[in-house]
Amino acid sequence: MKNQIVVVEGKNDIVRLKQVFPTLNVVSVNGSAINEDVVNMLIEKSETHKIIICTDPDYPGVKIRHELENKIKDVSHLFIERKIAF
């Protein structure tokens, strides 16, 4: 099984996930202004790691999810329904 990297929107998301899962590999794309260096790193890491996208169910989160899905092959998604998230 490949190692995993969970991709989130911002630094606060990293902090929250690390509180629950301290050893989790988590990377932020810096919100809607997606950091292309991070995307390039994820493309490279996707050869050896399973990339799991976990963004908010709002417009910016969905936009980020689609952009990453188009750039990185074979990603997985972790969804929380919008009505539950708010």
Side-chain angles (χ1 to χ4, degrees), residues 43-60:
I43 291 168
E44 183 180 315
K45 292 288 187 182
S46 69
E47 299 298 322
T48 57
H49 291 71
K50 183 67 179 169
I51 307 299
I52 303 168
I53 301 173
C54 179
T55 57
D56 297 336
D58 56 8
Y59 176 78

